Amino acid sequence: PSKVSVQMNDTHPTMAVVEMMRLLVDVQKLGWDEAWDLTRRTCNYTNHTVMPEALEKWPVEMMEQLLPRHLQIVGEINLRWMQEVSKMYGDGPKVWGLSLFQEEPFKGIRMGNIAVLGSYKVNGVAALHTEIVKKETFADFYQYFCDKGQKDKFVNMTNGVTPRRWIHCANRPLSDLFTKHLGSHKWLTDMTVMKQLIAKKDDAALQKEWMAAKRAAKEKLAAFAKEHMGMELDCDALFDVQFKRIHEYKRQLLNCFYIIHRYLTIKAASPSERAKFQKRV
């Protein structure tokens, strides 16, 4: 743990907890307690969505066929875990909710529960999201660890790309513009400095430089698209870009609906009305 950290993003890689136990116990021949301590201090779990379908449940029958040893390890982890929980709460619904196994609608393994139990830290990706993780998604786990005096197991790590990585590296002309008008590079590490630009919001010279920087970036992207994709982009149009795979339960689907709506609206408009639409590519 002092040299290696395994970060699990959502429940997809949760088997890392079980595989690490297998390697430490079966291959490295460590005792169970030492292996479990090392595993729990090495792994960390980031929950990205609280939607039930994102908290995977793996069928026990499938595990029996494909990963029988891993299933045995999950069973042993759960046996010891249930004994620990029962000492604190006795038998009842809370214990069942903390189990690594579910019985209905099929006998399965709750990968989210394994991720929480097998991690040193559990985090959400926004303050509100983390509160939902603590109070709803994994409420029983949060309560258990609070009762054990480990309130800091669940933490928040707000998701996002830092300005110095995004603006400074991806759009240097815009970065240089900020630095010029703010008088220093301090905004790269302290975003509150950028509030000083509000005083210049009506500065015609700044607006001209701003639009020139954005135009240059669009022309650079258009040149890339033409060279690598053979696609001609109109730089006078608004670039409306989707950067992620389409999810049936996320905003990307809403974007698809909007494209259909916009198309139908344009088709139904008169030539004079159509001329007023902002061009998009």
Short mmCIF file of all heavy atoms in Angstrom, two decimals, residues 27-92:
data_model
loop_
_atom_site.label_atom_id
_atom_site.label_comp_id
_atom_site.label_asym_id
_atom_site.label_seq_id
_atom_site.Cartn_x
_atom_site.Cartn_y
_atom_site.Cartn_z
N VAL A 27 -0.70 -17.58 -4.38
CA VAL A 27 0.60 -17.50 -5.05
C VAL A 27 1.70 -17.09 -4.08
O VAL A 27 2.75 -17.72 -4.01
CB VAL A 27 0.53 -16.52 -6.24
CG1 VAL A 27 1.90 -16.42 -6.93
CG2 VAL A 27 -0.54 -16.96 -7.25
N GLN A 28 1.45 -16.02 -3.32
CA GLN A 28 2.47 -15.52 -2.40
C GLN A 28 2.45 -16.22 -1.04
O GLN A 28 3.34 -15.99 -0.20
CB GLN A 28 2.30 -14.01 -2.20
CG GLN A 28 2.44 -13.20 -3.48
CD GLN A 28 3.80 -13.36 -4.14
OE1 GLN A 28 4.83 -13.47 -3.46
NE2 GLN A 28 3.82 -13.37 -5.48
N LYS A 29 1.42 -17.04 -0.82
CA LYS A 29 1.31 -17.86 0.39
C LYS A 29 1.21 -17.03 1.69
O LYS A 29 1.71 -17.45 2.74
CB LYS A 29 2.49 -18.84 0.50
CG LYS A 29 2.70 -19.71 -0.72
CD LYS A 29 1.47 -20.54 -1.06
CE LYS A 29 1.70 -21.42 -2.29
NZ LYS A 29 0.49 -22.18 -2.67
N LEU A 30 0.57 -15.88 1.61
CA LEU A 30 0.35 -15.08 2.82
C LEU A 30 -0.84 -15.64 3.59
O LEU A 30 -1.72 -16.28 3.01
CB LEU A 30 0.07 -13.62 2.45
CG LEU A 30 1.28 -12.66 2.39
CD1 LEU A 30 2.24 -13.08 1.30
CD2 LEU A 30 0.79 -11.24 2.15
N GLY A 31 -0.87 -15.38 4.87
CA GLY A 31 -2.03 -15.75 5.66
C GLY A 31 -3.22 -14.89 5.26
O GLY A 31 -3.06 -13.77 4.75
N TRP A 32 -4.44 -15.39 5.53
CA TRP A 32 -5.64 -14.69 5.09
C TRP A 32 -5.74 -13.27 5.67
O TRP A 32 -6.00 -12.31 4.94
CB TRP A 32 -6.88 -15.49 5.48
CG TRP A 32 -8.15 -14.85 4.98
CD1 TRP A 32 -8.88 -13.87 5.59
CD2 TRP A 32 -8.81 -15.12 3.73
NE1 TRP A 32 -9.96 -13.52 4.81
CE2 TRP A 32 -9.94 -14.27 3.66
CE3 TRP A 32 -8.55 -16.01 2.69
CZ2 TRP A 32 -10.81 -14.28 2.59
CZ3 TRP A 32 -9.42 -16.02 1.60
CH2 TRP A 32 -10.54 -15.16 1.55
N ASP A 33 -5.54 -13.13 6.94
CA ASP A 33 -5.70 -11.83 7.59
C ASP A 33 -4.73 -10.80 7.05
O ASP A 33 -5.09 -9.64 6.82
CB ASP A 33 -5.54 -11.96 9.10
CG ASP A 33 -6.68 -12.74 9.74
OD1 ASP A 33 -7.75 -12.83 9.11
OD2 ASP A 33 -6.50 -13.25 10.87
N GLU A 34 -3.47 -11.21 6.84
CA GLU A 34 -2.48 -10.28 6.30
C GLU A 34 -2.83 -9.90 4.86
O GLU A 34 -2.72 -8.72 4.48
CB GLU A 34 -1.07 -10.89 6.35
CG GLU A 34 0.01 -9.94 5.85
CD GLU A 34 1.41 -10.56 5.87
OE1 GLU A 34 1.53 -11.76 6.19
OE2 GLU A 34 2.36 -9.83 5.55
N ALA A 35 -3.26 -10.88 4.07
CA ALA A 35 -3.62 -10.62 2.68
C ALA A 35 -4.81 -9.67 2.59
O ALA A 35 -4.83 -8.75 1.77
CB ALA A 35 -3.95 -11.94 1.97
N TRP A 36 -5.79 -9.88 3.46
CA TRP A 36 -6.99 -9.02 3.45
C TRP A 36 -6.64 -7.60 3.89
O TRP A 36 -7.15 -6.63 3.32
CB TRP A 36 -8.06 -9.63 4.36
CG TRP A 36 -9.39 -8.94 4.36
CD1 TRP A 36 -10.09 -8.51 5.45
CD2 TRP A 36 -10.20 -8.62 3.22
NE1 TRP A 36 -11.28 -7.94 5.07
CE2 TRP A 36 -11.38 -8.00 3.70
CE3 TRP A 36 -10.06 -8.80 1.84
CZ2 TRP A 36 -12.41 -7.54 2.87
CZ3 TRP A 36 -11.07 -8.34 1.00
CH2 TRP A 36 -12.22 -7.73 1.51
N ASP A 37 -5.77 -7.47 4.84
CA ASP A 37 -5.34 -6.14 5.29
C ASP A 37 -4.61 -5.40 4.16
O ASP A 37 -4.87 -4.21 3.92
CB ASP A 37 -4.41 -6.28 6.50
CG ASP A 37 -3.82 -4.94 6.94
OD1 ASP A 37 -4.59 -4.07 7.37
OD2 ASP A 37 -2.60 -4.77 6.81
N LEU A 38 -3.71 -6.09 3.47
CA LEU A 38 -2.98 -5.47 2.37
C LEU A 38 -3.92 -5.08 1.23
O LEU A 38 -3.81 -4.00 0.65
CB LEU A 38 -1.91 -6.43 1.84
CG LEU A 38 -0.68 -6.64 2.73
CD1 LEU A 38 0.18 -7.77 2.20
CD2 LEU A 38 0.13 -5.34 2.83
N THR A 39 -4.86 -5.96 0.93
CA THR A 39 -5.81 -5.70 -0.16
C THR A 39 -6.65 -4.47 0.15
O THR A 39 -6.81 -3.58 -0.69
CB THR A 39 -6.72 -6.92 -0.37
OG1 THR A 39 -5.93 -8.04 -0.78
CG2 THR A 39 -7.77 -6.64 -1.45
N ARG A 40 -7.18 -4.41 1.36
CA ARG A 40 -8.08 -3.30 1.72
C ARG A 40 -7.34 -1.97 1.83
O ARG A 40 -7.96 -0.91 1.69
CB ARG A 40 -8.78 -3.61 3.05
CG ARG A 40 -9.72 -4.78 2.97
CD ARG A 40 -10.46 -5.01 4.27
NE ARG A 40 -11.53 -4.05 4.46
CZ ARG A 40 -12.35 -4.06 5.53
NH1 ARG A 40 -12.17 -4.96 6.48
NH2 ARG A 40 -13.31 -3.18 5.64
N ARG A 41 -6.05 -2.01 2.04
CA ARG A 41 -5.29 -0.76 2.10
C ARG A 41 -4.71 -0.37 0.74
O ARG A 41 -4.18 0.72 0.58
CB ARG A 41 -4.16 -0.87 3.14
CG ARG A 41 -4.68 -0.89 4.57
CD ARG A 41 -3.60 -0.70 5.61
NE ARG A 41 -2.68 -1.84 5.69
CZ ARG A 41 -1.37 -1.76 5.44
NH1 ARG A 41 -0.83 -0.60 5.09
NH2 ARG A 41 -0.61 -2.83 5.55
N THR A 42 -4.83 -1.28 -0.23
CA THR A 42 -4.30 -1.02 -1.57
C THR A 42 -5.38 -0.54 -2.53
O THR A 42 -5.15 0.32 -3.38
CB THR A 42 -3.63 -2.28 -2.15
OG1 THR A 42 -2.56 -2.68 -1.30
CG2 THR A 42 -3.09 -2.05 -3.55
N CYS A 43 -6.59 -1.10 -2.42
CA CYS A 43 -7.66 -0.80 -3.36
C CYS A 43 -8.49 0.42 -2.91
O CYS A 43 -8.67 0.65 -1.72
CB CYS A 43 -8.59 -2.00 -3.50
SG CYS A 43 -7.79 -3.45 -4.24
N ASN A 44 -8.95 1.16 -3.88
CA ASN A 44 -9.85 2.29 -3.65
C ASN A 44 -10.96 2.24 -4.70
O ASN A 44 -10.73 1.79 -5.82
CB ASN A 44 -9.11 3.63 -3.74
CG ASN A 44 -8.06 3.78 -2.66
OD1 ASN A 44 -8.37 4.09 -1.52
ND2 ASN A 44 -6.80 3.55 -3.02
N TYR A 45 -12.14 2.71 -4.32
CA TYR A 45 -13.30 2.59 -5.20
C TYR A 45 -13.96 3.95 -5.44
O TYR A 45 -14.30 4.66 -4.50
CB TYR A 45 -14.31 1.62 -4.56
CG TYR A 45 -15.70 1.61 -5.16
CD1 TYR A 45 -15.91 1.51 -6.53
CD2 TYR A 45 -16.81 1.67 -4.33
CE1 TYR A 45 -17.20 1.48 -7.06
CE2 TYR A 45 -18.11 1.65 -4.84
CZ TYR A 45 -18.29 1.55 -6.21
OH TYR A 45 -19.56 1.53 -6.72
N THR A 46 -14.10 4.29 -6.71
CA THR A 46 -14.83 5.50 -7.10
C THR A 46 -16.18 5.09 -7.67
O THR A 46 -16.24 4.33 -8.63
CB THR A 46 -14.07 6.31 -8.17
OG1 THR A 46 -12.85 6.79 -7.61
CG2 THR A 46 -14.90 7.50 -8.64
N ASN A 47 -17.25 5.59 -7.05
CA ASN A 47 -18.59 5.35 -7.58
C ASN A 47 -18.94 6.52 -8.50
O ASN A 47 -18.92 7.67 -8.09
CB ASN A 47 -19.60 5.26 -6.44
CG ASN A 47 -21.02 5.14 -6.95
OD1 ASN A 47 -21.65 6.15 -7.27
ND2 ASN A 47 -21.53 3.93 -7.04
N HIS A 48 -19.23 6.22 -9.76
CA HIS A 48 -19.52 7.27 -10.73
C HIS A 48 -21.00 7.51 -10.95
O HIS A 48 -21.40 8.56 -11.45
CB HIS A 48 -18.86 6.94 -12.08
CG HIS A 48 -17.37 7.10 -12.07
ND1 HIS A 48 -16.76 8.31 -12.28
CD2 HIS A 48 -16.38 6.20 -11.88
CE1 HIS A 48 -15.44 8.16 -12.21
NE2 HIS A 48 -15.19 6.89 -11.97
N THR A 49 -21.82 6.53 -10.64
CA THR A 49 -23.25 6.70 -10.82
C THR A 49 -24.00 5.86 -9.81
O THR A 49 -23.56 4.77 -9.45
CB THR A 49 -23.70 6.31 -12.25
OG1 THR A 49 -25.12 6.39 -12.35
CG2 THR A 49 -23.26 4.90 -12.60
N VAL A 50 -25.13 6.37 -9.34
CA VAL A 50 -25.92 5.65 -8.34
C VAL A 50 -27.06 4.89 -8.99
O VAL A 50 -27.89 4.30 -8.28
CB VAL A 50 -26.47 6.62 -7.28
CG1 VAL A 50 -25.33 7.26 -6.50
CG2 VAL A 50 -27.35 7.70 -7.91
N MET A 51 -27.11 4.86 -10.31
CA MET A 51 -28.16 4.10 -11.00
C MET A 51 -28.00 2.61 -10.66
O MET A 51 -26.87 2.08 -10.73
CB MET A 51 -28.07 4.30 -12.51
CG MET A 51 -28.27 5.75 -12.94
SD MET A 51 -29.93 6.34 -12.60
CE MET A 51 -30.87 5.45 -13.83
N PRO A 52 -29.07 1.93 -10.31
CA PRO A 52 -28.98 0.52 -9.93
C PRO A 52 -28.30 -0.37 -10.98
O PRO A 52 -27.54 -1.27 -10.64
CB PRO A 52 -30.45 0.11 -9.73
CG PRO A 52 -31.14 1.38 -9.40
CD PRO A 52 -30.45 2.45 -10.21
N GLU A 53 -28.55 -0.09 -12.26
CA GLU A 53 -27.98 -0.94 -13.31
C GLU A 53 -26.47 -0.81 -13.41
O GLU A 53 -25.80 -1.64 -14.03
CB GLU A 53 -28.62 -0.63 -14.68
CG GLU A 53 -28.52 0.82 -15.10
CD GLU A 53 -29.75 1.62 -14.74
OE1 GLU A 53 -30.29 1.46 -13.63
OE2 GLU A 53 -30.18 2.42 -15.59
N ALA A 54 -25.91 0.25 -12.80
CA ALA A 54 -24.46 0.42 -12.82
C ALA A 54 -23.78 -0.34 -11.69
O ALA A 54 -22.57 -0.54 -11.71
CB ALA A 54 -24.11 1.90 -12.74
N LEU A 55 -24.55 -0.76 -10.70
CA LEU A 55 -24.01 -1.56 -9.59
C LEU A 55 -24.18 -3.02 -9.95
O LEU A 55 -25.20 -3.64 -9.68
CB LEU A 55 -24.75 -1.21 -8.29
CG LEU A 55 -24.62 0.24 -7.85
CD1 LEU A 55 -25.51 0.53 -6.66
CD2 LEU A 55 -23.17 0.59 -7.52
N GLU A 56 -23.16 -3.56 -10.57
CA GLU A 56 -23.27 -4.89 -11.19
C GLU A 56 -23.55 -6.01 -10.18
O GLU A 56 -23.06 -6.00 -9.07
CB GLU A 56 -21.99 -5.20 -11.96
CG GLU A 56 -21.72 -4.22 -13.09
CD GLU A 56 -20.41 -4.52 -13.79
OE1 GLU A 56 -20.17 -5.69 -14.16
OE2 GLU A 56 -19.63 -3.58 -13.97
N LYS A 57 -24.34 -6.97 -10.65
CA LYS A 57 -24.60 -8.21 -9.91
C LYS A 57 -24.18 -9.36 -10.82
O LYS A 57 -24.76 -9.57 -11.88
CB LYS A 57 -26.09 -8.34 -9.57
CG LYS A 57 -26.76 -7.07 -9.01
CD LYS A 57 -26.26 -6.69 -7.66
CE LYS A 57 -27.15 -5.64 -6.99
NZ LYS A 57 -27.34 -4.42 -7.80
N TRP A 58 -23.17 -10.10 -10.43
CA TRP A 58 -22.67 -11.21 -11.25
C TRP A 58 -23.32 -12.51 -10.81
O TRP A 58 -23.28 -12.85 -9.61
CB TRP A 58 -21.15 -11.32 -11.12
CG TRP A 58 -20.41 -10.22 -11.84
CD1 TRP A 58 -20.88 -8.99 -12.21
CD2 TRP A 58 -19.05 -10.27 -12.25
NE1 TRP A 58 -19.91 -8.27 -12.83
CE2 TRP A 58 -18.76 -9.02 -12.87
CE3 TRP A 58 -18.04 -11.22 -12.16
CZ2 TRP A 58 -17.51 -8.72 -13.40
CZ3 TRP A 58 -16.79 -10.91 -12.69
CH2 TRP A 58 -16.53 -9.69 -13.31
N PRO A 59 -23.92 -13.26 -11.74
CA PRO A 59 -24.57 -14.53 -11.39
C PRO A 59 -23.58 -15.52 -10.77
O PRO A 59 -22.48 -15.72 -11.31
CB PRO A 59 -25.09 -15.04 -12.74
CG PRO A 59 -25.22 -13.81 -13.59
CD PRO A 59 -24.07 -12.93 -13.16
N VAL A 60 -23.97 -16.12 -9.68
CA VAL A 60 -23.13 -17.13 -9.02
C VAL A 60 -22.89 -18.29 -9.97
O VAL A 60 -21.78 -18.84 -10.03
CB VAL A 60 -23.78 -17.61 -7.72
CG1 VAL A 60 -23.06 -18.85 -7.19
CG2 VAL A 60 -23.78 -16.50 -6.67
N GLU A 61 -23.90 -18.67 -10.72
CA GLU A 61 -23.76 -19.80 -11.66
C GLU A 61 -22.66 -19.53 -12.68
O GLU A 61 -21.87 -20.42 -13.01
CB GLU A 61 -25.09 -20.02 -12.39
CG GLU A 61 -25.09 -21.22 -13.32
CD GLU A 61 -26.44 -21.44 -13.99
OE1 GLU A 61 -27.37 -20.65 -13.74
OE2 GLU A 61 -26.56 -22.42 -14.77
N MET A 62 -22.58 -18.31 -13.17
CA MET A 62 -21.53 -17.95 -14.12
C MET A 62 -20.15 -18.02 -13.46
O MET A 62 -19.19 -18.52 -14.05
CB MET A 62 -21.77 -16.54 -14.66
CG MET A 62 -20.69 -16.04 -15.61
SD MET A 62 -20.86 -14.29 -16.04
CE MET A 62 -20.30 -13.52 -14.50
N MET A 63 -20.07 -17.52 -12.23
CA MET A 63 -18.81 -17.54 -11.51
C MET A 63 -18.34 -18.98 -11.25
O MET A 63 -17.15 -19.27 -11.31
CB MET A 63 -18.95 -16.80 -10.19
CG MET A 63 -19.08 -15.29 -10.34
SD MET A 63 -17.51 -14.51 -10.74
CE MET A 63 -16.65 -14.68 -9.18
N GLU A 64 -19.29 -19.85 -10.95
CA GLU A 64 -18.95 -21.25 -10.72
C GLU A 64 -18.28 -21.87 -11.94
O GLU A 64 -17.36 -22.67 -11.83
CB GLU A 64 -20.20 -22.05 -10.36
CG GLU A 64 -20.72 -21.79 -8.95
CD GLU A 64 -22.01 -22.53 -8.68
OE1 GLU A 64 -22.79 -22.76 -9.63
OE2 GLU A 64 -22.25 -22.87 -7.50
N GLN A 65 -18.75 -21.48 -13.10
CA GLN A 65 -18.23 -22.04 -14.35
C GLN A 65 -16.92 -21.40 -14.79
O GLN A 65 -16.00 -22.09 -15.24
CB GLN A 65 -19.27 -21.89 -15.47
CG GLN A 65 -20.56 -22.66 -15.23
CD GLN A 65 -21.60 -22.38 -16.30
OE1 GLN A 65 -21.37 -21.63 -17.25
NE2 GLN A 65 -22.77 -22.99 -16.15
N LEU A 66 -16.82 -20.09 -14.64
CA LEU A 66 -15.67 -19.36 -15.18
C LEU A 66 -14.56 -19.09 -14.16
O LEU A 66 -13.37 -19.16 -14.50
CB LEU A 66 -16.13 -18.03 -15.78
CG LEU A 66 -17.16 -18.13 -16.92
CD1 LEU A 66 -17.55 -16.72 -17.38
CD2 LEU A 66 -16.60 -18.93 -18.08
N LEU A 67 -14.93 -18.77 -12.93
CA LEU A 67 -13.95 -18.40 -11.92
C LEU A 67 -14.27 -19.07 -10.58
O LEU A 67 -14.57 -18.41 -9.59
CB LEU A 67 -13.93 -16.87 -11.75
CG LEU A 67 -13.53 -16.04 -12.98
CD1 LEU A 67 -13.83 -14.57 -12.74
CD2 LEU A 67 -12.05 -16.23 -13.32
N PRO A 68 -14.18 -20.39 -10.54
CA PRO A 68 -14.57 -21.10 -9.31
C PRO A 68 -13.73 -20.73 -8.09
O PRO A 68 -14.25 -20.62 -6.98
CB PRO A 68 -14.38 -22.57 -9.69
CG PRO A 68 -13.43 -22.56 -10.86
CD PRO A 68 -13.75 -21.31 -11.61
N ARG A 69 -12.43 -20.49 -8.28
CA ARG A 69 -11.58 -20.15 -7.13
C ARG A 69 -11.95 -18.76 -6.61
O ARG A 69 -11.99 -18.52 -5.39
CB ARG A 69 -10.11 -20.19 -7.53
CG ARG A 69 -9.15 -19.75 -6.41
CD ARG A 69 -9.38 -20.52 -5.12
NE ARG A 69 -8.46 -20.10 -4.06
CZ ARG A 69 -8.73 -20.15 -2.77
NH1 ARG A 69 -9.93 -20.59 -2.35
NH2 ARG A 69 -7.84 -19.76 -1.89
N HIS A 70 -12.23 -17.84 -7.51
CA HIS A 70 -12.62 -16.51 -7.10
C HIS A 70 -13.95 -16.53 -6.34
O HIS A 70 -14.14 -15.78 -5.38
CB HIS A 70 -12.72 -15.57 -8.31
CG HIS A 70 -11.40 -15.29 -8.97
ND1 HIS A 70 -10.75 -16.22 -9.75
CD2 HIS A 70 -10.60 -14.19 -8.93
CE1 HIS A 70 -9.61 -15.70 -10.19
NE2 HIS A 70 -9.49 -14.47 -9.71
N LEU A 71 -14.84 -17.40 -6.77
CA LEU A 71 -16.12 -17.54 -6.07
C LEU A 71 -15.89 -18.05 -4.65
O LEU A 71 -16.53 -17.58 -3.69
CB LEU A 71 -17.04 -18.49 -6.84
CG LEU A 71 -18.41 -18.74 -6.20
CD1 LEU A 71 -19.19 -17.44 -6.06
CD2 LEU A 71 -19.20 -19.75 -7.04
N GLN A 72 -14.96 -19.00 -4.51
CA GLN A 72 -14.62 -19.50 -3.17
C GLN A 72 -14.10 -18.36 -2.28
O GLN A 72 -14.47 -18.26 -1.10
CB GLN A 72 -13.56 -20.59 -3.26
CG GLN A 72 -14.05 -21.91 -3.83
CD GLN A 72 -12.92 -22.94 -3.89
OE1 GLN A 72 -11.74 -22.59 -3.94
NE2 GLN A 72 -13.29 -24.22 -3.88
N ILE A 73 -13.26 -17.51 -2.85
CA ILE A 73 -12.68 -16.41 -2.09
C ILE A 73 -13.76 -15.41 -1.68
O ILE A 73 -13.78 -14.93 -0.54
CB ILE A 73 -11.57 -15.72 -2.91
CG1 ILE A 73 -10.38 -16.68 -3.07
CG2 ILE A 73 -11.13 -14.41 -2.24
CD1 ILE A 73 -9.30 -16.18 -4.01
N VAL A 74 -14.68 -15.11 -2.60
CA VAL A 74 -15.80 -14.21 -2.27
C VAL A 74 -16.61 -14.81 -1.13
O VAL A 74 -17.01 -14.11 -0.19
CB VAL A 74 -16.71 -13.96 -3.50
CG1 VAL A 74 -17.95 -13.16 -3.08
CG2 VAL A 74 -15.95 -13.22 -4.58
N GLY A 75 -16.84 -16.12 -1.20
CA GLY A 75 -17.59 -16.79 -0.14
C GLY A 75 -16.90 -16.68 1.21
O GLY A 75 -17.55 -16.45 2.24
N GLU A 76 -15.58 -16.85 1.22
CA GLU A 76 -14.83 -16.77 2.47
C GLU A 76 -14.82 -15.33 3.01
O GLU A 76 -14.96 -15.12 4.23
CB GLU A 76 -13.39 -17.25 2.26
CG GLU A 76 -12.53 -17.27 3.51
CD GLU A 76 -13.04 -18.23 4.58
OE1 GLU A 76 -13.73 -19.21 4.22
OE2 GLU A 76 -12.74 -18.02 5.77
N ILE A 77 -14.66 -14.36 2.11
CA ILE A 77 -14.70 -12.95 2.53
C ILE A 77 -16.06 -12.66 3.17
O ILE A 77 -16.15 -12.03 4.23
CB ILE A 77 -14.46 -12.01 1.34
CG1 ILE A 77 -13.03 -12.14 0.80
CG2 ILE A 77 -14.73 -10.55 1.75
CD1 ILE A 77 -12.77 -11.37 -0.48
N ASN A 78 -17.11 -13.13 2.51
CA ASN A 78 -18.46 -12.85 2.99
C ASN A 78 -18.75 -13.55 4.32
O ASN A 78 -19.40 -12.98 5.20
CB ASN A 78 -19.50 -13.28 1.95
CG ASN A 78 -20.86 -12.71 2.23
OD1 ASN A 78 -21.03 -11.50 2.33
ND2 ASN A 78 -21.86 -13.58 2.39
N LEU A 79 -18.27 -14.78 4.48
CA LEU A 79 -18.47 -15.51 5.73
C LEU A 79 -17.88 -14.74 6.91
O LEU A 79 -18.55 -14.51 7.92
CB LEU A 79 -17.82 -16.89 5.64
CG LEU A 79 -17.84 -17.73 6.93
CD1 LEU A 79 -19.28 -18.03 7.36
CD2 LEU A 79 -17.06 -19.02 6.75
N ARG A 80 -16.65 -14.30 6.75
CA ARG A 80 -15.99 -13.55 7.82
C ARG A 80 -16.65 -12.19 8.04
O ARG A 80 -16.78 -11.73 9.18
CB ARG A 80 -14.51 -13.37 7.48
CG ARG A 80 -13.73 -14.70 7.45
CD ARG A 80 -12.34 -14.51 6.86
NE ARG A 80 -11.62 -15.77 6.79
CZ ARG A 80 -10.50 -16.05 7.48
NH1 ARG A 80 -9.98 -15.15 8.31
NH2 ARG A 80 -9.89 -17.22 7.36
N TRP A 81 -17.08 -11.57 6.95
CA TRP A 81 -17.75 -10.27 7.02
C TRP A 81 -19.08 -10.37 7.74
O TRP A 81 -19.40 -9.56 8.61
CB TRP A 81 -17.90 -9.73 5.60
CG TRP A 81 -18.78 -8.55 5.39
CD1 TRP A 81 -19.84 -8.44 4.53
CD2 TRP A 81 -18.70 -7.25 6.02
NE1 TRP A 81 -20.41 -7.20 4.58
CE2 TRP A 81 -19.72 -6.45 5.49
CE3 TRP A 81 -17.85 -6.72 6.99
CZ2 TRP A 81 -19.93 -5.12 5.88
CZ3 TRP A 81 -18.04 -5.40 7.40
CH2 TRP A 81 -19.07 -4.62 6.85
N MET A 82 -19.86 -11.40 7.40
CA MET A 82 -21.16 -11.58 8.04
C MET A 82 -21.02 -11.87 9.53
O MET A 82 -21.83 -11.43 10.35
CB MET A 82 -21.93 -12.72 7.36
CG MET A 82 -22.45 -12.39 5.94
SD MET A 82 -23.75 -11.12 5.92
CE MET A 82 -22.80 -9.60 5.69
N GLN A 83 -19.98 -12.59 9.90
CA GLN A 83 -19.73 -12.86 11.31
C GLN A 83 -19.40 -11.56 12.05
O GLN A 83 -19.87 -11.33 13.17
CB GLN A 83 -18.57 -13.86 11.46
CG GLN A 83 -18.93 -15.26 10.99
CD GLN A 83 -17.73 -16.19 10.97
OE1 GLN A 83 -16.58 -15.75 11.03
NE2 GLN A 83 -17.99 -17.50 10.87
N GLU A 84 -18.63 -10.70 11.39
CA GLU A 84 -18.25 -9.42 11.99
C GLU A 84 -19.47 -8.51 12.15
O GLU A 84 -19.65 -7.88 13.20
CB GLU A 84 -17.21 -8.75 11.08
CG GLU A 84 -16.63 -7.47 11.64
CD GLU A 84 -15.57 -6.89 10.73
OE1 GLU A 84 -14.90 -7.66 9.98
OE2 GLU A 84 -15.39 -5.65 10.74
N VAL A 85 -20.31 -8.47 11.10
CA VAL A 85 -21.49 -7.61 11.12
C VAL A 85 -22.51 -8.10 12.15
O VAL A 85 -23.12 -7.31 12.88
CB VAL A 85 -22.13 -7.53 9.72
CG1 VAL A 85 -23.48 -6.82 9.78
CG2 VAL A 85 -21.21 -6.81 8.75
N SER A 86 -22.69 -9.41 12.21
CA SER A 86 -23.67 -9.98 13.14
C SER A 86 -23.32 -9.68 14.59
O SER A 86 -24.20 -9.51 15.44
CB SER A 86 -23.76 -11.50 12.93
OG SER A 86 -24.27 -11.79 11.63
N LYS A 87 -22.02 -9.61 14.90
CA LYS A 87 -21.61 -9.28 16.25
C LYS A 87 -22.07 -7.88 16.64
O LYS A 87 -22.37 -7.60 17.80
CB LYS A 87 -20.09 -9.37 16.37
CG LYS A 87 -19.54 -10.78 16.33
CD LYS A 87 -18.02 -10.76 16.43
CE LYS A 87 -17.45 -12.17 16.34
NZ LYS A 87 -15.96 -12.17 16.38
N MET A 88 -22.14 -6.99 15.64
CA MET A 88 -22.52 -5.61 15.91
C MET A 88 -24.03 -5.41 15.88
O MET A 88 -24.59 -4.71 16.73
CB MET A 88 -21.85 -4.66 14.91
CG MET A 88 -22.19 -3.18 15.13
SD MET A 88 -21.28 -2.07 14.03
CE MET A 88 -19.62 -2.22 14.69
N TYR A 89 -24.70 -6.01 14.89
CA TYR A 89 -26.12 -5.72 14.69
C TYR A 89 -27.05 -6.90 14.96
O TYR A 89 -28.27 -6.73 14.95
CB TYR A 89 -26.35 -5.25 13.25
CG TYR A 89 -25.61 -3.99 12.87
CD1 TYR A 89 -24.78 -3.96 11.76
CD2 TYR A 89 -25.75 -2.82 13.61
CE1 TYR A 89 -24.11 -2.80 11.39
CE2 TYR A 89 -25.08 -1.65 13.26
CZ TYR A 89 -24.26 -1.65 12.15
OH TYR A 89 -23.59 -0.50 11.80
N GLY A 90 -26.49 -8.09 15.17
CA GLY A 90 -27.35 -9.26 15.28
C GLY A 90 -27.83 -9.67 13.89
O GLY A 90 -27.33 -9.18 12.87
N ASP A 91 -28.81 -10.54 13.82
CA ASP A 91 -29.33 -10.98 12.53
C ASP A 91 -30.50 -10.08 12.14
O ASP A 91 -31.24 -9.60 12.99
CB ASP A 91 -29.79 -12.44 12.61
CG ASP A 91 -30.00 -13.03 11.23
OD1 ASP A 91 -29.59 -12.39 10.25
OD2 ASP A 91 -30.60 -14.12 11.14
N GLY A 92 -30.68 -9.86 10.83
CA GLY A 92 -31.79 -9.02 10.39
C GLY A 92 -31.54 -8.38 9.05
O GLY A 92 -30.52 -8.65 8.39
#
